[in-house]
Amino acid sequence: MPLPLLLVEDDAVLADGLLRTLQAQDMQVELVGDGLAADIRLQGQPLPFSVIVLDIGLPGIDGFEVLRRLRARGTTLPVLLLTARDAVEDRVRGLEAGADDYLVKPFASAELVARIRALARRVAPPPAQLGLGQLSLDSATRRARVGERVLELSAREWGVLEYLLQHAGRVVSKQQIIDAIAPWGDDLTLNAVEVYISRLRLKLDGAGVAIRTIRGFGYLLEAAA
C-alpha cells in the first residue's frame, strides 16, 4: 500500500525531482509550494498523511512557523525538516519546535527515503499479539514467553525481538533495526545490534525459532527446522 505523505518545498526543480523519486518508491505524494498553503492544508482533520516532509526556507511563512502551528493544534504526525542551514542552532530550533528528524541539503535521495520510512514505521501501530513457534509477544503488556516461560528482556532486546517478529520470514538489516527501535539522537551502533542478537539467541533456546545471519544482508527470524 502506498505511503501517503505531504511534501512542502518551494524550489520547483528540487520538488519535481523529489516527487519523482518518492513516487518511484511507492509513496503517494501531495506537493505544496509555500508555507501559508501548507498551514491551510494541515488544518484539516484527520490528515491523510503518514509523514510530512517540510522545507524550512519557504515563502509566506517559514517551515519553523508551519511546524509550530501544526504542533499547537495537537497534531502528532512525524515531521522531517529539510534545510540548507547546517548551523547547530537551527537544528536545535527545529527539534525543539517538534520536528522528528532533520536533513541538510544537499542530501542523497536514498537517505531521504530511508528516513521517511523509518518515521512511518515508528508511528505504525504494531499488532498487539505476535508469535512464531513457541515464542509469543504481547505488545500491550510488554511480555515475551516461550511456552509458559516468561523471558527476561532488556528494553533494547525487546525492541529487536519485536521488530524481528514483525518481519518474520524476511531479511532485515542492522540499520533497519536501528532505525526502527532507536529514537532521535539515541546511540545504537551496528556492533550493539550484534550483541543483542547474540543474547536473544541464547534466551530463545527451545522456542522453536531461529535467528539466522544472512551474510552481507542482515538477519532472518524463522521457525526452526
Side-chain angles (χ1 to χ4, degrees):
M1 185 175 181
L3 174 68
L5 65 89
L6 178 67
L7 172 62
V8 187
E9 172 60 62
D10 66 309
D11 184 318
V13 175
L14 177 59
D16 182 67
L18 292 177
L19 187 64
R20 294 173 184 272
T21 296
L22 298 175
Q23 288 175 337
Q25 293 295 321
D26 199 28
M27 297 185 187
Q28 182 179 325
V29 185
E30 182 174 329
L31 176 62
V32 176
D34 68 78
L36 287 174
D39 182 53
I40 292 171
R41 181 65 183 91
L42 291 170
Q43 291 179 24
Q45 295 292 336
L47 293 172
F49 311 114
S50 295
V51 177
I52 300 167
V53 179
L54 177 63
D55 186 35
I56 288 180
L58 296 169
I61 57 175
D62 66 16
F64 290 128
E65 180 62 17
V66 173
L67 179 59
R68 186 195 68 77
R69 295 183 185 186
L70 179 74
R71 296 302 187 223
R73 292 191 291 269
T75 302
T76 59
L77 278 176
V79 174
L80 170 62
L81 289 181
L82 301 180
T83 182
R85 307 175 187 179
D86 193 22
V88 173
E89 293 80 4
D90 288 318
R91 281 180 281 172
V92 170
R93 181 183 175 190
L95 295 170
E96 288 183 341
D100 299 274
D101 204 348
Y102 198 105
L103 196 54
V104 177
K105 302 174 183 177
F107 49 80
S109 297
E111 182 177 7
L112 173 63
V113 169
R115 287 175 181 259
I116 290 172
R117 286 179 173 160
L119 289 175
R121 285 194 298 267
R122 291 177 192 174
V123 298
Q129 299 283 343
L130 296 167
L132 183 67
Q134 296 298 309
L135 173 65
S136 62
L137 264 68
D138 188 326
S139 297
T141 62
R142 307 288 286 184
R143 285 291 183 91
R145 296 177 182 272
V146 171
E148 296 301 316
R149 173 169 61 95
V150 176
L151 296 181
E152 297 296 330
L153 301 174
S154 69
R156 282 283 173 77
E157 290 168 351
W158 168 274
V160 173
L161 183 56
E162 183 180 43
Y163 186 76
L164 289 173
L165 255 180
Q166 288 169 352
H167 298 81
R170 287 178 281 172
V171 178
V172 296
S173 69
K174 295 175 188 177
Q175 190 59 53
Q176 285 176 313
I177 293 173
I178 291 173
D179 290 341
I181 72 172
W184 171 265
D186 222 9
D187 182 21
L188 180 58
T189 65
L190 299 178
N191 288 339
V193 172
E194 293 180 4
V195 172
Y196 295 129
I197 292 292
S198 178
R199 292 177 183 172
L200 287 171
R201 282 173 170 150
L202 293 174
K203 295 182 178 184
L204 293 175
D205 182 47
V209 301
I211 304 175
R212 292 178 53 202
T213 298
I214 310 300
R215 191 169 301 278
F217 293 95
Y219 301 105
L220 170 68
L221 178 68
E222 62 182 3

